[in-house]
Amino acid sequence: MPKENNRTTVAALCTAMHGVGGPNRHILNLYSNIDRDKYRFLIVYCSNKRDIVNKFFLDGGVKKEDLFYFPANKEMLFIPLILGLRRLFIAEDVNIVHTFYLHSDILGFFSAALAGVRHLVSSVEGKFLLDEIHGVSKLKQACYTWINKIIRPYFYKTITVSAELKNELIQCHAVRENKIEVISIGIDIPSEMEIDGDRSESEIVKEKSIATASRFSKDKRFEYFLKAVPEVIKEVPQARFIVAGRGDEESGLKELAAELGIQSVVSFPGWVEDMKKFMRGIDVFVMTSVREGCPFTLLEALSFAKPVVAFDVPGVKEIIVNGENGVLVEPFDLQKFISAVIKICKDPGYAKFLGENGRKLVQAKFSVAAEIKRIESLYDGIRASYE
């Protein structure tokens, strides 16, 4: 296996990166923290939002020569994309292809095979097989299931970010348990100085900022957050609400805000470029998603000691212990969701208790150093096989 200056070249491949979210930040963390003496790390992605994604990575410190883009449109069909990836893997002497999500697994498998790259690692950070909610027909689901059964044994390891996802892979997708590694996502934990708010005391007294941030996709169910606003405002008139992100559901969410008559208290700032500044400026973080793996923004909110209200769903409930480091409510139970937000806004002591416990959890279990150590250990196992 060819290596540059005794370094192994890893290509992180995500073929459906249409904005800025958890996967982007996760891949950037890997790029920024991997041992450069042993590994050269490339980021390869397909997107219909090239400008946004490129800016995110370049602003995050990724070198231009380490960033490779392929268009995600009809001009770059399945076979041409595989051939394009093959050429790239050969040209860059790629030794390990690390794929993110099933679509990338399939494309990565075939392009790596054609390029003579024998070592593949897969990361599963959310729903493994997308469904009709995500625009994937039952026919396509069946095809993906069939292809997955063929290619999965050839992956050195499949990394999941939660025990729930591991069980799903074993029970529903015929992945062998000894081929799965559970590695929690790591985040850069802010210092005590960094979590201090940058708002004036008068602003903090006047307003309570209740925020959420993610891609605007159907499974995030942001409409429940918006529907809670009129009731929360009645009890907490100083509350202001932030819905940060971009996505296919954006126009529908703005229309709903207009229908509810809450435009004056709800803002849609778009993608968050400085997540630390965003987290410093809010008081409560909410998550109405009905499906998560290991939600990056939730961990970031906890790391800033922000009290959290979220739906009690897989992935989230492996992080939040109800009443200890956040509040969990049954999915779609709007009244309980509203009550939880109001209680946190009205009880500063309770809010502080939840926030401090959340920060302690992240410090103990979700550091970047711990995650990188375990992923490098997987890569090291591959290196050892050919050294």
Side-chain angles (χ1 to χ4, degrees):
M1 180 177 290
K3 292 179 290 180
E4 176 195 297
N5 299 324
N6 204 36
R7 292 195 303 167
T8 297
T9 299
V10 179
L13 174 66
C14 186
T15 56
M17 190 174 281
H18 303 311
V20 177
N24 308 60
R25 293 195 287 276
H26 188 202
I27 291 171
L28 179 59
N29 267 347
L30 294 179
Y31 177 91
S32 303
N33 293 280
I34 202 78
D35 185 342
R36 295 289 171 172
D37 290 333
K38 292 192 293 184
Y39 297 101
R40 175 179 176 233
F41 198 87
L42 311 179
I43 298 174
V44 185
Y45 75 97
C46 302
S47 179
N48 56 21
K49 296 284 191 297
R50 181 183 185 181
D51 292 345
I52 292 172
V53 176
N54 248 29
K55 184 176 187 303
F56 170 82
F57 283 124
L58 294 174
D59 287 351
V62 176
K63 297 178 180 178
K64 287 184 179 179
E65 60 266 29
D66 294 336
L67 188 60
F68 299 88
Y69 159 80
F70 290 88
N73 53 40
K74 293 181 180 179
E75 295 175 5
M76 183 58 78
L77 300 176
F78 190 79
I79 298 302
L81 178 55
I82 288 176
L83 295 177
L85 291 170
R86 170 188 175 271
R87 288 192 292 271
L88 173 65
F89 294 160
I90 292 173
E92 298 296 330
D93 287 334
V94 170
N95 311 122
I96 300 171
V97 176
H98 186 160
T99 55
F100 291 77
Y101 300 107
L102 180 56
H103 187 266
S104 305
D105 296 346
I106 294 170
L107 290 165
F109 170 81
F110 287 110
S111 53
L114 291 173
V117 180
R118 296 184 293 111
H119 302 286
L120 298 108
V121 175
S122 169
S123 278
V124 179
E125 299 181 8
K127 190 173 181 62
F128 182 67
L129 183 59
L130 300 182
D131 51 28
E132 291 93 333
I133 292 177
H134 300 85
V136 178
S137 67
K138 288 187 177 180
L139 176 60
K140 187 175 286 188
Q141 290 176 51
C143 290
Y144 279 179
T145 299
W146 177 71
I147 295 172
N148 174 65
K149 288 182 179 180
I150 294 174
I151 70 173
R152 192 56 48 183
Y154 295 94
F155 281 77
Y156 177 74
K157 288 287 184 180
T158 295
I159 301 171
T160 67
V161 294
S162 70
E164 186 77 27
L165 282 173
K166 176 182 177 180
N167 292 335
E168 179 185 323
L169 290 174
I170 294 170
Q171 295 169 13
C172 303
H173 303 290
V175 183
R176 289 162 50 193
E177 185 171 5
N178 66 348
K179 284 282 192 174
I180 302 174
E181 196 82 17
V182 178
I183 302 178
S184 297
I185 287 176
I187 67 169
D188 286 315
I189 300 171
S191 66
E192 294 288 346
M193 184 176 295
E194 285 179 304
I195 69 173
D196 288 338
D198 56 0
R199 293 176 294 171
S200 69
E201 190 65 29
S202 61
E203 288 176 316
I204 295 173
V205 171
K206 286 179 181 178
E207 292 187 0
K208 285 288 182 183
S209 294
I210 304 166
T212 190
S214 185
R215 290 175 293 103
F216 290 170
S217 58
K218 290 182 179 179
D219 56 334
K220 301 304 180 182
R221 304 312 295 263
F222 285 155
E223 69 269 23
Y224 279 85
F225 179 36
L226 295 178
K227 289 176 181 178
V229 170
E231 295 302 316
V232 174
I233 280 290
K234 289 178 184 178
E235 297 293 326
V236 190
Q238 73 273 31
R240 296 296 179 266
F241 305 84
I242 305 169
V243 186
R246 295 280 190 201
D248 295 338
E249 300 298 302
E250 183 172 356
S251 61
L253 292 172
K254 289 181 177 179
E255 288 174 6
L256 177 58
E259 290 173 13
L260 294 170
I262 56 176
Q263 306 100 308
S264 63
V265 295
V266 177
S267 62
F268 292 86
W271 296 114
V272 176
E273 295 188 9
D274 188 340
M275 188 57 73
K276 289 186 176 181
K277 182 178 180 180
F278 176 81
M279 289 297 176
R280 279 197 301 270
I282 70 173
D283 298 292
V284 184
F285 185 81
V286 301
M287 178 169 278
T288 51
S289 175
V290 294
R291 174 64 190 238
E292 291 289 344
C294 185
F296 207 97
T297 51
L298 176 63
L299 294 176
E300 288 178 313
L302 294 174
S303 75
F304 274 85
K306 301 302 178 181
V308 168
V309 180
F311 281 171
D312 187 357
V313 296
V316 173
K317 63 185 178 183
E318 290 186 37
I319 299 170
I320 299 296
V321 178
N322 188 38
E324 292 188 19
N325 59 1
V327 179
L328 296 177
V329 298
E330 286 298 313
F332 314 122
D333 192 330
L334 188 58
Q335 288 308 310
K336 287 187 178 178
F337 179 79
I338 291 168
S339 297
V341 173
I342 291 172
K343 177 174 173 57
I344 287 174
C345 289
K346 286 189 167 185
D347 189 340
Y350 182 53
K352 184 178 181 181
F353 168 79
L354 295 176
E356 289 180 347
N357 283 346
R359 178 168 165 79
K360 289 176 183 176
L361 171 76
V362 174
Q363 288 174 319
K365 295 185 177 181
F366 295 98
S367 70
V368 169
E371 181 198 11
I372 295 297
K373 182 178 180 180
R374 294 193 62 191
I375 289 180
E376 281 190 359
S377 178
L378 290 185
Y379 293 167
D380 289 346
I382 294 173
R383 282 172 61 94
S385 70
Y386 60 77
E387 286 185 339

